[in-house]
PDB file of all heavy atoms in Angstrom:
ATOM      1  N   GLY A 745      12.180  -1.841 -81.950  1.00 97.00           N
ATOM      2  CA  GLY A 745      12.167  -1.192 -83.272  1.00 97.00           C
ATOM      3  C   GLY A 745      12.172  -2.177 -84.428  1.00 97.00           C
ATOM      4  O   GLY A 745      11.670  -1.870 -85.511  1.00 97.00           O
ATOM      5  N   GLN A 746      12.719  -3.370 -84.214  1.00 98.00           N
ATOM      6  CA  GLN A 746      12.760  -4.365 -85.287  1.00 98.00           C
ATOM      7  C   GLN A 746      11.349  -4.827 -85.622  1.00 98.00           C
ATOM      8  O   GLN A 746      10.978  -4.927 -86.783  1.00 98.00           O
ATOM      9  CB  GLN A 746      13.630  -5.559 -84.861  1.00 98.00           C
ATOM     10  CG  GLN A 746      15.089  -5.203 -84.643  1.00 98.00           C
ATOM     11  CD  GLN A 746      15.820  -4.947 -85.954  1.00 98.00           C
ATOM     12  OE1 GLN A 746      15.814  -5.761 -86.856  1.00 98.00           O
ATOM     13  NE2 GLN A 746      16.449  -3.784 -86.067  1.00 98.00           N
ATOM     14  N   GLU A 748       8.602  -3.163 -84.923  1.00 97.00           N
ATOM     15  CA  GLU A 748       7.856  -2.010 -85.446  1.00 97.00           C
ATOM     16  C   GLU A 748       8.180  -1.766 -86.919  1.00 97.00           C
ATOM     17  O   GLU A 748       7.292  -1.491 -87.715  1.00 97.00           O
ATOM     18  CB  GLU A 748       8.185  -0.755 -84.633  1.00 97.00           C
ATOM     19  CG  GLU A 748       7.544  -0.778 -83.264  1.00 97.00           C
ATOM     20  CD  GLU A 748       7.594   0.576 -82.588  1.00 97.00           C
ATOM     21  OE1 GLU A 748       8.393   1.426 -83.017  1.00 97.00           O
ATOM     22  OE2 GLU A 748       6.833   0.765 -81.632  1.00 97.00           O
ATOM     23  N   ARG A 751       6.441  -4.402 -88.953  1.00 97.00           N
ATOM     24  CA  ARG A 751       5.006  -4.140 -89.064  1.00 97.00           C
ATOM     25  C   ARG A 751       4.745  -2.928 -89.947  1.00 97.00           C
ATOM     26  O   ARG A 751       3.770  -2.878 -90.671  1.00 97.00           O
ATOM     27  CB  ARG A 751       4.373  -3.908 -87.676  1.00 97.00           C
ATOM     28  CG  ARG A 751       4.486  -5.055 -86.697  1.00 97.00           C
ATOM     29  CD  ARG A 751       4.015  -6.389 -87.211  1.00 97.00           C
ATOM     30  NE  ARG A 751       2.640  -6.429 -87.709  1.00 97.00           N
ATOM     31  CZ  ARG A 751       1.565  -6.630 -86.968  1.00 97.00           C
ATOM     32  NH1 ARG A 751       1.681  -6.820 -85.669  1.00 97.00           N
ATOM     33  NH2 ARG A 751       0.364  -6.680 -87.504  1.00 97.00           N
ATOM     34  N   SER A 752       5.647  -1.929 -89.886  1.00 97.00           N
ATOM     35  CA  SER A 752       5.405  -0.678 -90.623  1.00 97.00           C
ATOM     36  C   SER A 752       5.497  -0.877 -92.135  1.00 97.00           C
ATOM     37  O   SER A 752       5.004  -0.054 -92.887  1.00 97.00           O
ATOM     38  CB  SER A 752       6.380   0.409 -90.176  1.00 97.00           C
ATOM     39  OG  SER A 752       7.632   0.246 -90.810  1.00 97.00           O
ATOM     40  N   MET A 755       4.141  -6.160 -92.863  1.00 97.00           N
ATOM     41  CA  MET A 755       4.217  -7.585 -92.511  1.00 97.00           C
ATOM     42  C   MET A 755       3.227  -7.879 -91.390  1.00 97.00           C
ATOM     43  O   MET A 755       2.997  -7.046 -90.524  1.00 97.00           O
ATOM     44  CB  MET A 755       5.628  -7.937 -92.015  1.00 97.00           C
ATOM     45  CG  MET A 755       6.659  -8.002 -93.101  1.00 97.00           C
ATOM     46  SD  MET A 755       8.182  -8.713 -92.425  1.00 97.00           S
ATOM     47  CE  MET A 755       9.366  -7.975 -93.522  1.00 97.00           C
ATOM     48  N   PHE A 763      10.571 -13.754 -90.200  1.00 97.00           N
ATOM     49  CA  PHE A 763      11.619 -13.243 -91.078  1.00 97.00           C
ATOM     50  C   PHE A 763      12.547 -12.226 -90.400  1.00 97.00           C
ATOM     51  O   PHE A 763      13.637 -11.971 -90.882  1.00 97.00           O
ATOM     52  CB  PHE A 763      11.004 -12.591 -92.321  1.00 97.00           C
ATOM     53  CG  PHE A 763      10.264 -13.565 -93.191  1.00 97.00           C
ATOM     54  CD1 PHE A 763       8.882 -13.529 -93.280  1.00 97.00           C
ATOM     55  CD2 PHE A 763      10.954 -14.541 -93.908  1.00 97.00           C
ATOM     56  CE1 PHE A 763       8.191 -14.428 -94.080  1.00 97.00           C
ATOM     57  CE2 PHE A 763      10.280 -15.448 -94.702  1.00 97.00           C
ATOM     58  CZ  PHE A 763       8.895 -15.390 -94.787  1.00 97.00           C
TER      59      PHE A 763
ATOM     60  N   ARG B1429       2.415   8.017 -85.236  1.00 97.00           N
ATOM     61  CA  ARG B1429       2.292   6.570 -85.034  1.00 97.00           C
ATOM     62  C   ARG B1429       0.829   6.118 -84.969  1.00 97.00           C
ATOM     63  O   ARG B1429       0.519   4.947 -85.172  1.00 97.00           O
ATOM     64  CB  ARG B1429       3.035   6.146 -83.765  1.00 97.00           C
ATOM     65  CG  ARG B1429       4.559   6.209 -83.942  1.00 97.00           C
ATOM     66  CD  ARG B1429       5.268   6.208 -82.601  1.00 97.00           C
ATOM     67  NE  ARG B1429       4.996   5.000 -81.845  1.00 97.00           N
ATOM     68  CZ  ARG B1429       5.678   3.882 -81.961  1.00 97.00           C
ATOM     69  NH1 ARG B1429       6.694   3.812 -82.781  1.00 97.00           N
ATOM     70  NH2 ARG B1429       5.369   2.832 -81.243  1.00 97.00           N
ATOM     71  N   ASN B1456      -2.325  -4.147 -92.157  1.00 95.00           N
ATOM     72  CA  ASN B1456      -1.144  -4.499 -92.958  1.00 95.00           C
ATOM     73  C   ASN B1456      -1.220  -3.864 -94.345  1.00 95.00           C
ATOM     74  O   ASN B1456      -0.233  -3.366 -94.859  1.00 95.00           O
ATOM     75  CB  ASN B1456      -1.003  -6.013 -93.054  1.00 95.00           C
ATOM     76  CG  ASN B1456      -0.847  -6.639 -91.681  1.00 95.00           C
ATOM     77  OD1 ASN B1456      -0.091  -6.138 -90.852  1.00 95.00           O
ATOM     78  ND2 ASN B1456      -1.571  -7.703 -91.423  1.00 95.00           N
ATOM     79  N   ARG B1459      -0.563  -0.161 -94.000  1.00 96.00           N
ATOM     80  CA  ARG B1459       0.850   0.171 -93.811  1.00 96.00           C
ATOM     81  C   ARG B1459       1.665   0.037 -95.089  1.00 96.00           C
ATOM     82  O   ARG B1459       2.740   0.612 -95.197  1.00 96.00           O
ATOM     83  CB  ARG B1459       1.445  -0.701 -92.703  1.00 96.00           C
ATOM     84  CG  ARG B1459       0.913  -0.330 -91.327  1.00 96.00           C
ATOM     85  CD  ARG B1459       1.379  -1.318 -90.287  1.00 96.00           C
ATOM     86  NE  ARG B1459       0.787  -1.015 -88.989  1.00 96.00           N
ATOM     87  CZ  ARG B1459       0.375  -1.943 -88.135  1.00 96.00           C
ATOM     88  NH1 ARG B1459       0.505  -3.216 -88.437  1.00 96.00           N
ATOM     89  NH2 ARG B1459      -0.147  -1.596 -86.986  1.00 96.00           N
ATOM     90  N   ASN B1470      16.065   1.499 -87.534  1.00 97.00           N
ATOM     91  CA  ASN B1470      15.404   0.189 -87.465  1.00 97.00           C
ATOM     92  C   ASN B1470      15.564  -0.646 -88.722  1.00 97.00           C
ATOM     93  O   ASN B1470      14.629  -1.302 -89.172  1.00 97.00           O
ATOM     94  CB  ASN B1470      13.905   0.351 -87.152  1.00 97.00           C
ATOM     95  CG  ASN B1470      13.680   0.941 -85.785  1.00 97.00           C
ATOM     96  OD1 ASN B1470      14.633   1.151 -85.031  1.00 97.00           O
ATOM     97  ND2 ASN B1470      12.444   1.212 -85.451  1.00 97.00           N
ATOM     98  N   LEU B1471      16.751  -0.637 -89.283  1.00 98.00           N
ATOM     99  CA  LEU B1471      17.032  -1.602 -90.349  1.00 98.00           C
ATOM    100  C   LEU B1471      17.069  -2.980 -89.709  1.00 98.00           C
ATOM    101  O   LEU B1471      17.425  -3.119 -88.542  1.00 98.00           O
ATOM    102  CB  LEU B1471      18.377  -1.294 -91.007  1.00 98.00           C
ATOM    103  CG  LEU B1471      18.430  -0.039 -91.877  1.00 98.00           C
ATOM    104  CD1 LEU B1471      19.792   0.070 -92.546  1.00 98.00           C
ATOM    105  CD2 LEU B1471      17.332  -0.048 -92.929  1.00 98.00           C
ATOM    106  N   ASN B1473      18.710  -5.944 -88.614  1.00 95.00           N
ATOM    107  CA  ASN B1473      20.147  -6.068 -88.338  1.00 95.00           C
ATOM    108  C   ASN B1473      20.814  -7.275 -88.982  1.00 95.00           C
ATOM    109  O   ASN B1473      22.014  -7.277 -89.199  1.00 95.00           O
ATOM    110  CB  ASN B1473      20.370  -6.138 -86.824  1.00 95.00           C
ATOM    111  CG  ASN B1473      20.040  -4.820 -86.151  1.00 95.00           C
ATOM    112  OD1 ASN B1473      20.388  -3.765 -86.676  1.00 95.00           O
ATOM    113  ND2 ASN B1473      19.361  -4.868 -85.020  1.00 95.00           N
ATOM    114  N   HIS B1474      20.026  -8.326 -89.232  1.00 95.00           N
ATOM    115  CA  HIS B1474      20.615  -9.557 -89.746  1.00 95.00           C
ATOM    116  C   HIS B1474      20.641  -9.578 -91.268  1.00 95.00           C
ATOM    117  O   HIS B1474      21.042 -10.575 -91.860  1.00 95.00           O
ATOM    118  CB  HIS B1474      19.839 -10.761 -89.214  1.00 95.00           C
ATOM    119  CG  HIS B1474      18.395 -10.775 -89.656  1.00 95.00           C
ATOM    120  ND1 HIS B1474      17.548  -9.701 -89.476  1.00 95.00           N
ATOM    121  CD2 HIS B1474      17.672 -11.725 -90.280  1.00 95.00           C
ATOM    122  CE1 HIS B1474      16.363 -10.006 -89.965  1.00 95.00           C
ATOM    123  NE2 HIS B1474      16.409 -11.227 -90.460  1.00 95.00           N
TER     124      HIS B1474
END
Side-chain angles (χ1 to χ4, degrees):
Chain A
Q746 296 287 306
E748 287 193 343
R751 300 308 304 274
S752 81
M755 286 190 206
F763 295 109
Chain B
R1429 288 163 61 87
N1456 300 316
R1459 290 173 184 142
N1470 295 355
L1471 289 185
N1473 292 318
H1474 62 307

